[in-house]
Amino acid sequence: MQTHLLFFYCYIGLSLVFAEGAQILPNDELSTLLSIKSSLIDPLDHLKDWQTPSKAVEKGSLHCNWTGVWCNSRSLVEKLNLSNMNLSGRVSDNIQGLHSLSSLNICCNGFASSLPKSISNLTSLKSIDVSQNNFIGSFPTGLGRASRLISVNASSNNFSGFLPEDLGNATSLEILDFRGSFLEGSIPTSLMNLQKLKFLGLSGNNFNGKIPQELGKLSSVETIILGYNEFEGEIPAELGNLTNLQYLDLAVGSLSGQIPPELGRLKQLTTVYLYKNNFTGKIPPELGNITSLVLLDLSDNQISGEIPAELAELKNLQLLNLMCNQLTGPIPSKLGELTTLEVLELWKNFLIGPLPTNLGRKSPLQWLDVSSNSLSGEIPPGLCDSGNLTKLILFNNSFSSSIPIGLSTCKSLVRVRMQNNHISGTIPVGLGHLPMLQRLELANNNLTGQIPDDITLSTSLSFIDVSSNHLMSSLPYTILSIPNLQNFIASNNNLDGNIPDQFQDCLSLSLLDLSNNHLSGKIPKSIASCEKLVKLNLRNNQLTGEIPKAIARMPMLAVLDLSNNSLIGRIPENFGSSPALEMVNLSFNKLEGPVPSNGMLMTINPNDLMGNAGLCGGILPPCSQNYAAPTGQLKNMHIKHIIVGFTIGISIIFSLGIAFFTGRWLYRRWYLCNNFFEDMFKQSNEQWPWRLVAFQRVSFTSSDILACIKESNVIGMGGTGVVYKAEIYRPHVVVAVKKLWRSGLDIENGDDLLGEVNLLGRLRHRNIVRILGYIHNETDVMMASEYMPNGNLGTALHEYGYTLKVSEKTDIYSFGVVLLELLTGKMPLDPSFGESIDIVEWVRMKIRNNRSLEEALDPNIAGECKHVQEEMLLVLQIALLCTAKLPRDRPSMRDILTMLGEAKPRRKSICHNGVHNSRKEKPIFSTSPIIGLL
């Protein structure tokens, strides 16, 4: 009896103890939550209700009503959701005090610290989500002790070190996502114990070694994403045992060998991405057994052999990408029978034969690119039968016959690129009515007939190239008035008649090439209204009449070729002073008279004037007395005669005395008064075509500067003009001279411009090159500054040290240069570039010389990590757009932000800076402008 009483009292005592603990524990957790809050930075005050209670009676379950907190029936914290609150700071070690916590979600914040090791003490966890932050350091070990753990999402962070081996002990795991960090080493073989695992995401890290064959034992796995790592070796054949696998991504790595035919056993597989590796051998025919397959991308490898006919058995296939391999033989004709095919990309292989006849007739085909092969035969007539075709890219093949008439009613078309084939017949009528068509490239074919008049009705076309065909007749009268037309190239045809005099509406035209035709008549004066025209090529026609004087005032015209025509008369007097003109070819015409001695005509190559027997003067031999001097020269000669007569009438001694004292006075004024010449030139505008304004004592004249403005002295091209190196020998001094590009509006606002130059002349800062002065006339301005042979950021006049008009486009040029510095690790005028080469030109030289752009990347950043290199190359393309020579070709900052946001490799499962953003992952058929650049 006493024993029973003893047990009874013990039971009562323990019950009271546990009851008391149940009352105290929630209060302890309240304190724990307040401790957690104290280590957080909460700028938006999301956790404002996390406050210490004012009265003791208010304790208990109060914290259960706080933002992001859920409690169980015992008022113990069971769920903590602080996601998307813009929180930063650090996660407190005291979080381990939440003993009943089963769900922790702090994703989508700004944490940049390490995760506390004490988080592994939360053994009740079922789910932990710390994704989309910037956590650093190693991921804590110990979570393998959480026997009920189902989901771990640590994607899109900056974790480093190794993947914890003990995660293989959490045998309840279904989701393991570490995409987009800097984890290294090999995949732990302990993961083979996770028999319930459905999702394995490790892409976008620095994992290396071989893919463990033990992964073939993950019997429940449905998704494996291991791309964008440094794995090598072959794909384990054991992956063919994963009968539940639906999604396999091993793209962008160093995997090699043959694609295992065992993958053909995976009947539930819908997606296979193996692109950008080093796979060799043939495409396994067994892949045709994966009848559930929707997306297959094997591009950018070294796969050879023929395309297996068995792929035509993939009845659910929407995307087939096999481009950039070494495939040979024909395209299987039965691919044309696929009813769901949307994207077919086979470009840059060695394929022969025709395209499948029924291609597009039975499927919603959107994108067809088979360029750069050796394909031949007819273009299938039903490519746009579904009305979905947007891009048709067939260039660099041997296609013959005519352009299918069905394309002229394909309203979804955006790009048609068929250049460099053997296409014959005429350009079909109706293309001008396609509302979305932007590019029409039909060059280097055998097209005949005329350019259809309906082309002029287009409101979307921006690029038309019909050059090197056999087109005849005259140009449609309003062809150059297409509102969005930027490039029109119709050279090397048999076009005749006059050039249409309808340039008033050419709002966007930047390139016009009508060379090598039979055009006649005069050059329309209205061509000068094309204010954005950069290149005009009318060479080798039968044009007559004079060169329109208005051409000299075109604000952006840089290249002008009027050679091999029958032009007459004189070169317009102000021709050489055109604001942006860099290259002129007037050879083999019937021009006559003196060559104007101004601007770029002073340094023009004589070969660009040859074949005009009547031209003289300037850089050519002097004119004979048969040519009357211009009015200005007659006036000057008359003044000179008066001065000579006056001088003869005065005694030599008196003249020498006047000259001596005047010269001494001028010398003192030159060195002691900066503004003397400015005042003098303002008073004698008619007598001084070029004016020098010095901001300090200088030893050169305007003539010295002008003598150095020639092509051989060009050292760079900036956002607002061309930079020359001017070396003067009396006394020896070297300066940098920037000739500014000026639009018509700039010329009209000349006083404002000179005011800005004067302001810049007063700037003194150790990081800004000093402006010594400037010379100008009525239309042009050239700034002279200190020459910096080894300039750097802040000190580079040649790039962006300063610009006159602070506009968005010049800011964008500067932004592009900064991007290039970050990507290359070079200075804007790095000595390694060579003499007179800046960072923009250095990168573009690599493109022109077909060099790998990877060479330009900073090896300290890119290293051997391919996914980092690819992202850097994407940003490099943006930088090149930003540093386009002409401001109009540079994107807006809004577009730049969009492109930077999408500057990630195709379907990469990590976000910016190597960090994954699973919630914002782009669709497969991305419309990113970056993809177009690549």
Side-chain angles (χ1 to χ4, degrees):
M1 182 66 180
Q2 291 179 347
T3 305
H4 288 291
L5 286 173
L6 178 63
F7 278 114
F8 176 77
Y9 290 134
C10 289
Y11 172 77
I12 295 297
L14 288 173
S15 299
L16 291 173
V17 168
F18 284 118
E20 183 181 3
Q23 292 174 354
I24 296 175
L25 210 56
N27 292 333
D28 289 344
E29 292 201 337
L30 183 147
S31 300
T32 298
L33 291 173
L34 291 175
S35 175
I36 293 173
K37 179 184 178 182
S38 67
S39 65
L40 301 178
I41 299 174
D42 182 12
L44 302 180
D45 206 15
H46 282 291
L47 306 180
K48 59 185 176 183
D49 57 346
W50 287 31
Q51 296 182 0
T52 305
S54 58
K55 298 179 182 179
V57 295
E58 295 180 3
K59 293 185 179 180
S61 61
L62 174 67
H63 61 285
C64 294
N65 296 319
W66 287 354
T67 300
V69 178
W70 282 262
C71 296
N72 60 20
S73 58
R74 294 185 297 154
S75 299
L76 299 178
V77 178
E78 190 174 67
K79 181 178 179 182
L80 187 62
N81 186 349
L82 305 181
S83 61
N84 290 289
M85 291 187 180
N86 199 28
L87 301 176
S88 57
R90 63 182 182 85
V91 179
S92 172
D93 272 317
N94 294 329
I95 196 170
Q96 64 183 321
L98 304 177
H99 299 289
S100 299
L101 193 66
S102 64
S103 175
L104 173 63
N105 187 349
I106 54 174
C107 83
C108 311
N109 283 296
F111 293 109
S113 58
S114 58
L115 268 178
K117 294 181 180 179
S118 61
I119 209 165
S120 62
N121 294 327
L122 299 174
T123 54
S124 297
L125 275 179
K126 294 182 180 179
S127 171
I128 178 172
D129 189 345
V130 297
S131 64
Q132 299 188 55
N133 281 286
N134 295 303
F135 284 115
I136 60 173
S138 299
F139 189 83
T141 59
L143 282 178
R145 292 182 295 157
S147 59
R148 295 186 293 171
L149 190 61
I150 295 175
S151 173
V152 176
N153 188 352
S155 62
S156 189
N157 278 287
N158 295 324
F159 290 118
S160 56
F162 302 100
L163 190 67
E165 183 91 23
D166 74 305
L167 285 173
N169 299 329
T171 54
S172 296
L173 266 178
E174 296 180 7
I175 298 174
L176 187 62
D177 192 352
F178 279 86
R179 294 178 292 172
S181 272
F182 299 97
L183 298 172
E184 56 189 19
S186 57
I187 298 176
T189 56
S190 63
L191 297 188
M192 63 180 284
N193 299 324
L194 305 179
Q195 292 300 301
K196 296 181 180 180
L197 193 68
K198 295 182 179 180
F199 182 98
L200 176 62
L202 302 178
S203 62
N205 281 283
N206 296 326
F207 289 115
N208 52 31
K210 294 186 176 181
I211 297 175
Q213 62 185 22
E214 287 80 3
L215 293 186
K217 298 181 180 180
L218 300 176
S219 56
S220 299
V221 75
E222 298 174 355
T223 300
I224 294 180
I225 305 178
L226 306 181
Y228 294 88
N229 279 292
E230 300 171 20
F231 294 120
E232 55 189 12
E234 299 183 352
I235 298 176
E238 287 78 4
L239 294 189
N241 299 328
L242 304 177
T243 54
N244 291 307
L245 191 64
Q246 299 175 20
Y247 190 105
L248 177 63
D249 184 350
L250 305 178
V252 190
S254 299
L255 296 171
S256 57
Q258 296 191 7
I259 299 171
E262 287 81 1
L263 296 182
R265 301 202 299 256
L266 306 179
K267 302 299 183 181
Q268 298 189 46
L269 200 58
T270 63
T271 302
V272 175
Y273 293 144
L274 305 180
Y275 60 85
K276 213 168 181 60
N277 279 286
N278 299 314
F279 293 119
T280 55
K282 298 182 178 181
I283 300 174
E286 289 83 356
L287 295 185
N289 297 330
I290 314 175
T291 53
S292 57
L293 201 59
V294 176
L295 309 170
L296 177 60
D297 193 335
L298 310 179
S299 62
D300 286 286
N301 282 288
Q302 300 168 30
I303 301 171
S304 57
E306 297 188 0
I307 300 174
E310 288 81 356
L311 295 187
E313 301 301 320
L314 303 176
K315 302 302 183 182
N316 295 302
L317 197 64
Q318 295 178 14
L319 177 143
L320 179 59
N321 281 357
L322 305 177
M323 64 276 196
C324 299
N325 278 292
Q326 300 171 14
L327 297 171
T328 56
I331 299 173
S333 60
K334 289 189 176 181
L335 287 181
E337 306 298 323
L338 294 175
T339 58
T340 59
L341 190 64
E342 297 179 13
V343 176
L344 179 61
E345 294 192 81
L346 307 176
W347 49 278
K348 205 174 181 182
N349 279 289
F350 302 97
L351 300 172
I352 60 173
L355 286 172
T357 304
N358 291 329
L359 191 62
R361 278 185 171 168
K362 301 179 179 181
S363 67
L365 190 64
Q366 296 181 23
W367 193 326
L368 175 64
D369 189 343
V370 295
S371 59
S372 299
N373 280 286
S374 298
L375 298 169
S376 57
E378 297 184 357
I379 300 171
L383 291 176
C384 192
D385 278 7
S386 68
N388 294 305
L389 189 66
T390 60
K391 297 184 181 180
L392 177 59
I393 305 177
L394 309 177
F395 63 81
N396 294 349
N397 279 289
S398 298
F399 290 114
S400 56
S401 74
S402 58
I403 300 173
I405 193 67
L407 294 180
S408 63
T409 57
C410 184
K411 294 186 177 181
S412 57
L413 268 178
V414 176
R415 293 186 179 185
V416 174
R417 306 187 66 192
M418 298 183 179
Q419 66 269 31
N420 300 327
N421 279 285
H422 304 304
I423 299 171
S424 58
T426 60
I427 301 174
V429 174
L431 295 177
H433 295 285
L434 302 183
M436 302 177 68
L437 186 62
Q438 297 174 7
R439 294 181 72 95
L440 180 62
E441 299 178 61
L442 305 175
N444 290 296
N445 280 291
N446 297 318
L447 295 171
T448 56
Q450 62 184 30
I451 299 174
D453 288 337
D454 72 282
I455 290 286
T456 64
L457 302 176
S458 174
T459 58
S460 57
L461 272 170
S462 63
F463 190 103
I464 300 176
D465 186 355
V466 293
S467 61
S468 300
N469 280 287
H470 307 292
L471 299 175
M472 303 177 67
S473 188
S474 58
L475 289 169
Y477 189 62
T478 56
I479 187 70
L480 302 175
S481 298
I482 298 175
N484 291 305
L485 188 62
Q486 297 178 13
N487 290 16
F488 182 74
I489 308 171
S491 58
N492 296 292
N493 279 288
N494 297 314
L495 300 173
D496 55 22
N498 296 342
I499 299 175
D501 191 3
Q502 288 290 318
F503 288 94
Q504 293 85 351
D505 299 321
C506 57
L507 304 176
S508 304
L509 192 65
S510 62
L511 187 153
L512 176 60
D513 189 346
L514 303 176
S515 60
N516 298 309
N517 280 289
H518 306 297
L519 299 172
S520 56
K522 297 182 178 181
I523 300 174
K525 295 180 181 179
S526 63
I527 199 170
S529 62
C530 296
E531 294 189 351
K532 295 184 178 180
L533 194 63
V534 175
K535 180 177 180 180
L536 175 61
N537 190 348
L538 303 178
R539 73 184 304 271
N540 201 20
N541 277 287
Q542 299 165 15
L543 299 173
T544 57
E546 298 185 349
I547 300 173
K549 295 179 181 180
I551 286 182
R553 296 192 296 271
M554 297 178 71
M556 301 183 72
L557 187 64
V559 178
L560 176 65
D561 193 341
L562 304 179
S563 62
N564 291 85
N565 280 287
S566 298
L567 300 173
I568 61 173
R570 297 186 175 186
I571 299 174
E573 191 65 28
N574 60 344
F575 201 72
S577 301
S578 181
L581 204 57
E582 297 176 8
M583 196 286 287
V584 173
N585 190 346
L586 304 177
S587 60
F588 298 102
N589 278 285
K590 299 178 182 178
L591 300 172
E592 58 183 7
V595 177
S597 298
N598 54 39
M600 63 90 56
L601 289 179
M602 297 174 63
T603 57
I604 191 174
N605 188 327
N607 291 336
D608 293 333
L609 297 176
M610 68 186 303
N612 292 281
L615 287 180
C616 57
I619 64 165
L620 300 178
C623 295
S624 65
Q625 297 298 322
N626 295 333
Y627 290 108
T631 305
Q633 294 184 17
L634 289 173
K635 180 178 180 181
N636 289 338
M637 290 174 62
H638 182 61
I639 293 174
K640 289 178 181 178
H641 291 160
I642 294 176
I643 293 174
V644 170
F646 179 76
T647 303
I648 294 175
I650 300 176
S651 66
I652 295 176
I653 296 175
F654 182 74
S655 299
L656 290 176
I658 292 295
F660 173 77
F661 287 108
T662 302
R664 185 175 180 182
W665 178 73
L666 283 172
Y667 179 84
R668 288 180 176 178
R669 293 288 286 180
W670 175 272
Y671 286 100
L672 299 178
C673 183
N674 290 342
N675 295 322
F676 169 72
F677 282 102
E678 182 178 8
D679 295 336
M680 177 180 286
F681 288 135
K682 286 181 179 178
Q683 296 171 5
S684 42
N685 183 40
E686 295 295 327
Q687 301 176 19
W688 297 87
W690 283 98
R691 304 164 177 83
L692 171 64
V693 180
F695 298 126
Q696 62 187 63
R697 289 190 297 175
V698 294
S699 58
F700 51 80
T701 66
S702 60
S703 299
D704 294 329
I705 295 294
L706 291 172
C708 298
I709 305 303
K710 48 189 174 183
E711 186 175 356
S712 59
N713 288 340
V714 172
I715 60 173
M717 190 170 295
T720 55
V722 182
V723 183
Y724 300 83
K725 178 181 178 182
E727 190 165 6
I728 301 157
Y729 297 94
R730 300 173 301 164
H732 185 264
V733 64
V734 181
V735 297
V737 180
K738 186 170 189 177
K739 181 182 179 184
L740 301 172
W741 292 328
R742 302 182 66 194
S743 65
L745 184 60
D746 290 331
I747 295 173
E748 292 175 9
N749 298 331
D751 291 339
D752 294 340
L753 181 63
L754 298 182
E756 293 181 40
V757 180
N758 276 311
L759 177 62
L760 289 171
R762 300 189 188 100
L763 289 177
R764 295 292 183 266
H765 190 279
R766 67 179 183 274
N767 290 329
I768 300 180
V769 286
R770 179 176 296 181
I771 301 180
L772 305 176
Y774 66 93
I775 65 172
H776 72 103
N777 60 12
E778 294 303 310
T779 58
D780 290 300
V781 176
M782 301 185 197
M783 294 193 304
S785 73
E786 297 169 318
Y787 177 70
M788 305 291 287
N790 295 314
N792 51 38
L793 184 63
T795 61
L797 165 68
H798 320 298
E799 300 301 331
Y800 57 92
Y802 47 78
T803 52
L804 290 184
K805 292 276 185 185
V806 180
S807 67
E808 183 191 22
K809 293 299 185 180
T810 50
D811 286 343
I812 285 169
Y813 186 93
S814 304
F815 180 70
V817 174
V818 173
L819 282 181
L820 289 176
E821 287 186 82
L822 295 173
L823 292 165
T824 64
K826 305 282 189 183
M827 296 184 294
L829 292 174
D830 199 286
S832 64
F833 298 159
E835 179 69 21
S836 304
I837 298 176
D838 56 54
I839 192 169
V840 178
E841 178 61 18
W842 178 68
V843 174
R844 293 190 183 279
M845 282 173 60
K846 290 186 177 294
I847 298 175
R848 288 196 296 269
N849 296 334
N850 294 320
R851 300 284 296 277
S852 173
L853 280 180
E854 282 87 347
E855 297 177 7
L857 302 180
D858 186 348
N860 294 323
I861 300 176
E864 298 298 323
C865 190
K866 288 190 175 182
H867 72 271
V868 174
Q869 290 180 3
E870 186 169 355
E871 289 196 14
M872 292 177 72
L873 288 174
L874 290 169
V875 178
L876 183 65
Q877 298 283 9
I878 300 173
L880 291 174
L881 286 177
C882 294
T883 54
K885 173 185 168 184
L886 296 170
R888 62 172 297 278
D889 292 333
R890 300 170 199 157
S892 67
M893 189 53 73
R894 181 186 297 271
D895 291 337
I896 292 171
L897 290 175
T898 300
M899 290 189 288
L900 285 174
E902 298 184 347
K904 52 186 177 181
R906 294 176 304 157
R907 294 180 294 275
K908 186 173 181 181
S909 54
I910 58 176
C911 73
H912 324 316
N913 301 323
V915 182
H916 168 65
N917 188 341
S918 60
R919 297 177 184 269
K920 298 180 180 178
E921 205 163 346
K922 295 297 174 184
I924 296 303
F925 309 119
S926 174
T927 56
S928 166
I930 293 297
I931 302 303
L933 290 175
L934 290 179

